[in-house]
Amino acid sequence: MSFLFNNFVELTVTGLVLGAVYGLVALGYTLVYGVLQLINFAHSEVWMFGSFAAVWVTVALGVAPGSAMPVVIGVLLLALLAAMTVSGGVALLLERVAYRRLIRLDAPKLVALISAIGASFALAEIMGLRDRVAGWIGLRDTLDPYVRSARDNTRFQNPLETEGLFTVGGYTVSNVDVIIIVSAVLMMVALDQFIRRTRTGRGIRAVAQDSEAAALMGVNRNRIIRATFLVGGIMAGAAALLYLMRFGVTRWNAGFLLGVKAFTAAVLGGIGNVRGALLGGFVLGLAENYGSALIGSEWRDVVAFLLLVVILLFRPTGLLGESLGRARA
């Protein structure tokens, strides 16, 4: 208990940072569920591919920490663009290969769920075997910096040096902490406005509420589904870069646990609720940190999922509970 009180500010800030990442990844889960009532368990690998894209950009550019600020900003923007592009592309590929035919045939949700799990393992293994894939296509030597030690941790060379901005309660809040939290909130707000005010966003809400009625009103359901996967992938790519800026490492199976946590965050906030996804992420990040401070870090994951059980027992629809289809304009 004393550790929690003595380090309360640090635990709060780091919990919000982790929760911001959970929340951004959770947006992908909540969007797809809102439109298709489908849990896209392969979304965690969409995030993982984005994290590797960001790493590869920094490796290719070779910019060291401490470079001129315009160079640092340029590298981070390129890494962000690469992560969002790759994650968005993988999400579209996932929709095309793993789901589109099942959706067209109106297959049972269990079949789609099995397809999602299979796609998740396939994507993870492809990244874990990328050195062999490069060998098969004759590019092993050319791509060596990007495929070396495919099963080991891959480090991210953050071009932005971590600097303290201000001190609260004995903890120095860094520039990276502020960037991650503020970026997550701004991206959630942008996505919320996109869904509420744009034509595509209105189409997403219409399909989520009643896909047959939306089709009668001229909404192209297939296009909306593709847009939903793309937007979720873009958010996952942004989350990948923010995660790397704070934690600095990724690996081929890094998406599994983070994906489960992000799904938990989506359920906590209210599955199908965009605002609830970020709120659930923040709540989960804080609960993990506070819980590990009270009963030990080895219980971090237990605390997270126990919180999920408690929330669902007393509020099954999550903290906010409003579905995407019923979101107010």
Side-chain angles (χ1 to χ4, degrees):
M1 184 69 73
S2 61
F3 181 80
L4 173 61
F5 288 127
N6 293 337
N7 299 274
F8 182 78
V9 175
E10 178 180 358
L11 293 169
T12 299
V13 174
T14 55
L16 290 175
V17 168
L18 186 59
V21 176
Y22 289 159
L24 286 178
V25 180
L27 289 171
Y29 287 104
T30 208
L31 282 172
V32 172
Y33 182 84
V35 171
L36 294 174
Q37 284 72 56
L38 167 68
I39 305 301
N40 178 21
F41 277 119
H43 186 63
S44 56
E45 275 55 56
V46 171
W47 171 88
M48 180 268 294
F49 268 79
S51 70
F52 275 97
V55 169
W56 292 338
V57 165
T58 58
V59 170
L61 296 176
V63 177
S67 300
M69 188 53 65
V71 175
V72 171
I73 293 174
V75 171
L76 288 177
L77 288 177
L78 286 174
L80 177 64
L81 179 62
M84 295 170 77
T85 301
V86 169
S87 288
V90 172
L92 287 176
L93 179 65
L94 186 65
E95 183 272 335
R96 177 66 181 88
V97 174
Y99 300 123
R100 185 175 298 181
R101 181 170 174 78
L102 298 179
I103 294 170
R104 188 176 300 158
L105 295 175
D106 196 24
K109 294 295 186 290
L110 180 60
V111 175
L113 179 63
I114 294 171
S115 179
I117 295 172
S120 175
F121 281 109
L123 289 172
E125 289 297 329
I126 287 172
M127 186 58 76
L129 296 172
R130 63 187 183 277
D131 53 344
R132 299 186 185 182
V133 174
W136 293 338
I137 61 177
L139 296 175
R140 179 65 179 84
D141 294 334
T142 304
L143 299 177
D144 181 68
Y146 310 100
V147 301
R148 186 188 303 134
S149 303
R151 292 271 172 175
D152 297 334
N153 289 340
T154 301
R155 294 209 157 270
F156 173 71
Q157 185 67 49
N158 190 356
L160 179 65
E161 288 188 317
T162 302
E163 299 176 354
L165 296 181
F166 53 89
T167 301
V168 180
Y171 175 71
T172 301
V173 180
S174 72
N175 53 347
V176 174
D177 293 335
V178 173
I179 288 172
I180 293 174
I181 295 172
V182 172
S183 297
V185 173
L186 290 178
M187 281 187 280
M188 189 282 294
V189 171
L191 178 60
D192 185 67
Q193 293 303 305
F194 170 80
I195 289 174
R196 292 167 185 275
R197 299 186 183 278
T198 68
R199 181 178 180 179
T200 300
R202 290 193 293 270
I204 290 174
R205 298 209 321 270
V207 172
Q209 187 169 6
D210 190 328
S211 61
E212 294 182 0
L216 292 175
M217 297 297 292
V219 177
N220 187 325
R221 181 171 181 256
N222 293 328
R223 184 179 67 83
I224 291 299
I225 291 172
R226 289 193 292 271
T228 301
F229 274 87
L230 176 62
V231 171
I234 289 173
M235 291 292 122
L241 177 62
L242 296 179
Y243 175 90
L244 290 172
M245 290 178 65
R246 183 63 173 81
F247 300 101
V249 66
T250 187
R251 58 182 289 122
W252 64 279
N253 60 353
F256 176 73
L257 185 57
L258 187 136
V260 175
K261 298 284 188 69
F263 173 68
T264 301
V267 175
L268 279 175
I271 189 72
N273 188 303
V274 172
R275 297 176 180 178
L278 191 61
L279 175 62
F282 284 143
V283 171
L284 183 61
L286 292 172
E288 282 191 7
N289 272 12
Y290 294 157
S292 61
L294 287 173
I295 59 178
S297 59
E298 65 272 16
W299 293 87
R300 171 185 292 269
D301 297 338
V302 176
V303 170
F305 298 120
L306 182 61
L307 175 65
L308 173 64
V309 172
V310 172
I311 291 292
L312 292 180
L313 282 175
F314 293 98
R315 190 172 176 82
T317 57
L319 296 174
L320 298 186
E322 183 180 311
S323 71
L324 185 66
R326 295 188 177 89
R328 292 181 294 275

